[in-house]
Amino acid sequence: MQKPFNFESFPDRRVTESLKWRVYAEEVLPMWVADMDFLSPPEVIEALRARVEHGIYGYGIEPPSLKQAITAWLERRYQWRVSEEEILFVPSVVSGFNLVALALRAPGSGLLIQTPVYPPFLNVARQAGMKDQRLPLSRDAMGRYYVDGDCFRAALTPETRMFLLCNPHNPVGRVFTREELWTMAEACLERDVVICSDEIHCDLTYSGHVHIPIATLDEAISRKTVTLMSPSKTFNVAGLKFAFAIVPDPTLRKTLKQLVHDLGGGMNIMGIVAAEAAYTRGAGWLQHLLKVLESNRNFVYDFVRNELPGVEMQLPEATYLAWLDCRRLDLQPSPYEFFLTEARVALNNGRDFGTEGRGFVRLNFGCPRSTLEQGLMRMKRALEESRVIS
C-alpha cells in the first residue's frame, strides 16, 4: 500500500548547502528561488539511495532506458511522439538555451525575448555575441499578459535568428494558448527564425489549462524548434543538474551535441538516476503535488486580494510562482527591499526580470501551507506597521 506523500513538512534545509535557505540571515523566510520545500518523490529518493550504495560514481553514458522513459512521458502527457535520436542530454535548461544561441549566432544576428522574463534570458544574446532584441509582453486592462500578434511580428527583424520562448511563462504564470503559439510560430517560420522553447514548467499546469509544446503544432514548426525540458521543477531535483533538448533538425542537433561535449561537461549520473525514476514511477506523486500547489495558489490569490490592498496578482495558470504587482503602493526603495527589511521575507526582485518588472516581486508558493501563511502574514504586518495599508 502506498504511504501518503508528505507535503506538510520538510527537514531543516539550513544545515545543507541550499541556495534558497543559506543566502539570507536565519530570521529571513526565503520565498524566492524556484525550488520547492517538499521532499522529492519517494521513488526518486529510493533510486538515488540504491545508486549511492553502489559506491562508485564514475563517468556515465546515455542509458537507452532513460530516453525510452522520456519519450513515453511526452506521449502520455502531451500526445507528442518524439524519436529517441532527437533527444540530447544537457546539464540544465539554462546551459541548453545558451548553447543553442552559440550554435545559431552569426555576424549581426539577433535574438528575441519577451519581457518580463526569467533573468538568465536577459544575458543570452550578450554572451553569444548576438543583438539583444526585446519585446514587452502585452497586458490587458485587467493586468493579464498576452501575446499581441502584430507587436510580435513587428519585433522580428531581418537580423533575428533566434526566438527564445518561455512557456509556461516565468514569472507571469501564463500557459500560452494554441492561438498565441500559432501566432508566434508562423511569424518565426515566415522569417526563418529558429524557436528555442524553455518548457521547464510544462508539467506544472492547473485546472482549465493545458500545456502545448510549440513543436507539436506542425511538422514545419517542429523542424525549426529546439524544446528544452527537465524533471528539475516538476520533481524538485534541480540540484542534480539534468535536462534534455528535443532537436528534430539533424544538422542543428549535431552542432549542439558537439557544443555540449566541448562546453557543457559530462552528465550528472545522479541526475540521470533521478530523472529515470521520476519519469517512470513519479506520476502518482506529481498528481498529489499539483493538488497541493493549486490549493496554495488559490490561497495566495485570495490573501492578496483580501488582505493586501494595493497589491495586484493574476492567477497563475502554471508554475508555483506568484507575480505580485506592488506599484500602486510605491514601496521604497523597492518592494523587494521593503519586504526583506520590514517583513523579513525574501522574494525575487521584479527588476531582475527586465525593465517591465520594476515594482513587482515574485513569490514562491511551493511550500507547506504553514510556511506560506507565515510569509504572507509577515508581509501584511509589515505593510500595516509602515502605514502603507490599514
Side-chain angles (χ1 to χ4, degrees):
M1 181 177 177
Q2 174 70 58
K3 295 181 180 179
F5 300 116
N6 180 11
F7 295 109
E8 298 177 358
S9 63
F10 60 97
D12 184 2
R13 300 190 66 187
R14 292 192 189 276
V15 301
T16 72
E17 64 295 316
S18 168
L19 171 67
K20 183 177 184 180
W21 284 85
R22 291 287 291 274
V23 165
Y24 293 97
E26 190 167 344
E27 68 271 15
V28 174
L29 186 64
M31 306 185 76
W32 63 296
V33 68
D35 74 10
M36 295 184 286
D37 291 320
F38 297 130
L39 292 172
S40 296
E43 296 84 359
V44 170
I45 296 171
E46 291 165 7
L48 289 169
R49 182 180 294 117
R51 184 64 183 86
V52 167
E53 290 177 353
H54 179 272
I56 299 177
Y57 318 115
Y59 296 114
I61 62 169
E62 298 185 358
S65 55
L66 176 52
K67 288 193 173 183
Q68 292 164 9
I70 290 171
T71 57
W73 180 266
L74 295 175
E75 185 164 5
R76 284 197 307 273
R77 294 190 72 84
Y78 308 110
Q79 295 74 55
W80 188 12
R81 292 188 176 183
V82 173
S83 69
E84 293 178 24
E85 68 175 7
E86 294 175 343
I87 298 174
L88 178 65
F89 295 160
V90 293
S92 68
V93 166
V94 172
S95 64
F97 56 62
N98 276 282
L99 290 169
V100 173
L102 289 175
L104 295 173
R105 66 177 178 177
S109 60
L111 186 153
L112 178 66
I113 60 174
Q114 297 164 306
T115 54
V117 73
Y118 178 47
F121 275 49
L122 305 176
N123 302 319
V124 178
R126 175 182 55 81
Q127 290 167 168
M130 301 175 78
K131 183 178 179 181
D132 190 350
Q133 301 177 315
R134 301 186 183 186
L135 170 66
L137 282 167
S138 297
R139 298 184 78 192
D140 63 21
M142 301 299 294
R144 183 176 185 267
Y145 292 88
Y146 68 97
V147 175
D148 183 297
D150 292 335
C151 292
F152 186 83
R153 289 186 180 87
L156 294 174
T157 71
E159 291 78 28
T160 310
R161 175 68 175 137
M162 172 178 163
F163 166 47
L164 182 52
L165 170 65
C166 188
N167 182 41
H169 194 280
N170 173 11
V172 309
R174 281 295 320 282
V175 178
F176 292 122
T177 64
R178 184 177 296 273
E179 291 72 24
E180 288 172 306
L181 294 173
W182 266 112
T183 293
M184 294 184 285
E186 289 184 325
C188 288
L189 278 182
E190 291 169 5
R191 297 292 186 92
D192 194 30
V193 173
V194 174
I195 302 168
C196 181
S197 187
D198 172 355
E199 303 187 13
I200 196 170
H201 292 279
C202 59
D203 299 318
L204 301 175
T205 58
Y206 299 123
S207 302
H209 301 283
V210 177
H211 175 74
I212 303 170
I214 194 167
T216 64
L217 294 178
D218 177 83
E219 186 176 346
I221 294 168
S222 176
R223 290 195 298 268
K224 297 291 291 186
T225 300
V226 175
T227 305
L228 293 163
M229 294 179 169
S230 173
S232 63
K233 305 301 181 187
T234 308
F235 299 102
N236 207 29
V237 291
L240 296 180
K241 294 295 183 183
F242 173 84
F244 58 93
I246 301 167
V247 194
D249 181 80
T251 302
L252 180 55
R253 185 168 64 245
K254 181 179 179 181
T255 301
L256 281 174
K257 188 172 184 178
Q258 189 63 49
L259 283 170
V260 170
H261 179 271
D262 294 342
L263 302 176
M267 295 174 294
N268 184 318
I269 56 172
M270 296 303 176
I272 290 172
V273 170
E276 185 166 352
Y279 285 135
T280 55
R281 295 183 284 134
W285 179 90
L286 176 58
Q287 183 178 5
H288 284 78
L289 170 71
L290 288 171
K291 293 178 181 177
V292 172
L293 290 179
E294 187 158 354
S295 177
N296 278 1
R297 177 202 66 164
N298 295 342
F299 179 82
V300 174
Y301 180 75
D302 290 339
F303 191 97
V304 169
R305 184 176 54 182
N306 297 323
E307 307 294 338
L308 302 181
V311 179
E312 298 177 2
M313 169 187 166
Q314 291 294 307
L315 198 64
E317 299 167 355
T319 82
Y320 44 84
L321 307 166
W323 185 236
L324 307 182
D325 184 351
C326 306
R327 291 175 297 175
R328 286 173 54 194
L329 298 180
D330 192 29
L331 300 176
Q332 298 299 325
S334 72
Y336 160 76
E337 291 165 292
F338 175 87
F339 287 120
L340 180 61
T341 302
E342 304 299 328
R344 309 307 284 161
V345 174
L347 308 169
N348 284 99
N349 194 337
R351 69 186 181 199
D352 292 339
F353 297 80
T355 303
E356 293 75 22
R358 291 185 183 277
F360 290 75
V361 287
R362 191 188 73 171
L363 181 148
N364 178 345
F365 56 83
C367 57
R369 178 62 62 85
S370 59
T371 303
L372 186 57
E373 291 175 351
Q374 181 185 0
L376 291 170
M377 284 303 301
R378 286 189 186 191
M379 293 168 66
K380 177 184 177 182
R381 284 195 297 268
L383 292 171
E384 290 174 340
E385 292 170 3
S386 300
R387 302 182 184 277
V388 176
I389 64 173
S390 59

